[in-house]
Amino acid sequence: IPVKKTKTIKKTPTKIVEHIFSSDLNSAIFSHIFRYFKIYSSKFEHKSDFELKRDSEVLLNYENEAIDEESEIEPVQEETIFRIYHRPNLVEELVSPCACVVHHDLNDPSDAFDIKKYLDKYLVSDLVICLNKTQEKILNGLGVLKTVVIPHGYNKRLKNLKPSPKTENSKFVLGLFSKRYGRLVKGEAFLYELAMNLSPDSISFMLIGDQRAIDGEWLISMGFDVIYGENIPYPVLCKSYNDIDALLITSISEGAPASVPEALITNTPIIARPVGMIPDVFAKGSCGLILTDNAETDAKLIMYFLKNNMDESKKFIKKNKLVYSWKEIISKYEDSINIVLGNE
């Protein structure tokens, strides 16, 4: 009886960049960022620590599974060649080669973001990826010298939005697009101070984000026209930039925030405290208005800006490349990984 020869289908080992979250992906921003890595990666395959654990369990069940009578599959070999730590404070030690990403404001006074909980990891990491130059400057001053600035990007669906037409007597609409946190890190106290110095006859608000009904109802009680929404689908959030005159950022501290590139690619001026990547984009030119933290003064500056300087800011934003798409951002990450690995 002739013996059938089997052929083995071999697969090239996959080069894996492992994203280590050290906790489940319960952060909306982490989930969105990781999804962009999955979509736009071109040089590596990106997987989370949870995916790799799941895949290893699945592989045990399907090892050497027959494809047909004359062939069998060889288990897929995955080689983790680089690790990106998104919460380095939650791991005992880093595995090199690796990078740490600074997602938070290094000046945030919260105990959870105390620099002492992160610094030892930053010092031994092969690379520390900052979202803005302020983070990089602080870390360089602390002896963390292997740094690069790679900010957040924008979703491509935002690029071709067209603003809604406004009537001659329309009120100016300020948009605040962020989740509300219990410790009020998004600057709700200052928002209320500003509102008490602004006129409901000239200003209205659009608030989008979890728990924003609290602020929306308070502003309504103060006489303002307000549209607010919670748990808004991202495509709806994108379209909402059509309906505001300027993005308002009152945050006490920020890593980015994500709304900055979203606003700028939609030609929306920004009115903000100098947090996160705000100083970086304003260093390139007039993208809007930097607040002084004096509510009475800032209310006057906001009205002057909206009436006299907003159109010039829109022209500047439209003319200049101030932010990058997520596709470009992921490419920057992968280029930086290759540099650490000595491939470039």
Side-chain angles (χ1 to χ4, degrees):
I1 300 174
V3 178
K4 285 188 176 182
K5 293 183 179 180
T6 61
K7 58 183 178 181
T8 300
I9 299 176
K10 294 186 177 182
K11 294 191 175 183
T12 303
T14 303
K15 304 295 185 182
I16 299 293
V17 171
E18 180 181 1
H19 291 253
I20 300 173
F21 295 96
S22 308
S23 179
D24 59 4
L25 281 176
N26 56 3
S27 164
I29 188 64
F30 279 7
S31 297
H32 285 138
I33 291 172
F34 185 60
R35 190 175 300 124
Y36 291 127
F37 277 99
K38 302 287 278 187
I39 294 170
Y40 294 123
S41 60
S42 60
K43 301 178 178 70
F44 308 100
E45 183 172 351
H46 295 262
K47 288 195 173 186
S48 70
D49 42 357
F50 307 105
E51 281 185 298
L52 289 174
K53 180 180 178 182
R54 180 201 64 201
D55 290 352
S56 65
E57 293 170 352
V58 171
L59 186 60
L60 289 175
N61 295 329
Y62 290 94
E63 197 169 32
N64 295 323
E65 178 183 346
I67 294 178
D68 54 42
E69 293 183 355
E70 296 188 353
S71 64
E72 61 182 26
I73 188 171
E74 184 178 272
V76 177
Q77 300 298 314
E78 293 184 339
E79 179 187 1
T80 299
I81 61 169
F82 198 86
R83 290 171 175 82
I84 297 178
Y85 292 88
H86 294 272
R87 294 181 174 110
N89 58 310
L90 297 182
V91 300
E92 290 188 10
E93 61 179 334
L94 307 183
V95 178
S96 184
C98 67
C100 294
V101 184
V102 187
H103 287 286
H104 61 282
D105 191 326
L106 293 173
N107 290 317
D108 192 316
S110 169
D111 180 66
F113 298 122
D114 187 339
I115 187 63
K116 294 176 184 177
K117 295 181 178 180
Y118 295 81
L119 187 57
D120 61 333
K121 302 300 193 309
Y122 293 156
L123 285 167
V124 299
S125 183
D126 297 296
L127 182 67
V128 177
I129 300 172
C130 303
L131 300 182
N132 58 69
K133 292 180 180 178
T134 300
Q135 292 173 333
E136 184 176 52
K137 183 178 179 180
I138 291 171
L139 291 178
N140 289 169
L142 293 171
V144 181
L145 304 178
K146 298 176 183 178
T147 56
V148 65
V149 175
I150 305 178
H152 282 333
Y154 63 82
N155 188 298
K156 64 180 181 180
R157 75 171 73 231
L158 288 154
K159 194 168 186 179
N160 298 316
L161 290 181
K162 294 181 180 180
S164 302
K166 296 184 69 66
T167 60
E168 186 175 344
N169 296 317
S170 293
K171 297 178 182 181
F172 293 109
V173 183
L174 298 179
L176 193 152
F177 297 169
S178 66
K179 177 180 177 180
R180 190 184 210 271
Y181 293 87
R183 61 192 186 99
L184 305 183
V185 71
K186 297 297 182 178
E188 285 76 9
F190 189 64
L191 170 66
Y192 287 17
E193 288 185 62
L194 272 179
M196 287 187 285
N197 286 277
L198 292 168
S199 171
D201 295 330
S202 303
I203 296 291
S204 63
F205 290 90
M206 176 179 286
L207 311 180
I208 295 180
D210 291 352
Q211 303 298 313
R212 283 301 169 196
I214 297 171
D215 309 304
E217 289 298 328
W218 184 85
L219 288 166
I220 289 171
S221 74
M222 295 294 291
F224 290 96
D225 292 335
V226 182
I227 296 174
Y228 63 82
E230 302 179 345
N231 301 314
I232 300 298
Y234 187 68
V236 177
L237 169 64
C238 291
K239 291 180 181 179
S240 297
Y241 283 97
N242 280 335
D243 303 314
I244 64 175
D245 291 293
L247 179 71
L248 179 63
I249 299 174
T250 57
S251 302
I252 297 169
S253 58
E254 286 282 0
S259 56
V260 170
E262 292 175 344
L264 294 178
I265 200 60
T266 58
N267 200 28
T268 304
I270 297 172
I271 298 173
R273 281 171 155 169
V275 294
M277 60 187 291
I278 293 296
D280 294 353
V281 294
F282 274 77
K284 299 176 183 179
S286 178
C287 305
L289 174 68
I290 296 288
L291 298 174
T292 69
D293 274 359
N294 180 302
E296 184 177 353
T297 299
D298 285 338
K300 294 176 181 177
L301 291 173
I302 288 170
M303 289 311 304
Y304 185 86
F305 170 78
L306 293 173
K307 291 178 179 178
N308 300 287
N309 296 337
M310 181 173 64
D311 290 341
E312 284 302 312
S313 281
K314 286 186 174 183
K315 289 178 184 177
F316 174 80
I317 294 168
K318 188 174 182 178
K319 183 179 179 180
N320 294 274
K321 184 176 178 62
L322 304 172
V323 290
Y324 299 91
S325 69
W326 274 112
K327 184 176 182 179
E328 293 172 303
I329 292 299
I330 301 308
S331 179
K332 289 177 182 291
Y333 266 84
E334 295 193 325
D335 288 346
S336 296
I337 291 170
N338 269 324
I339 290 172
V340 172
L341 294 175
N343 297 334
E344 291 186 8

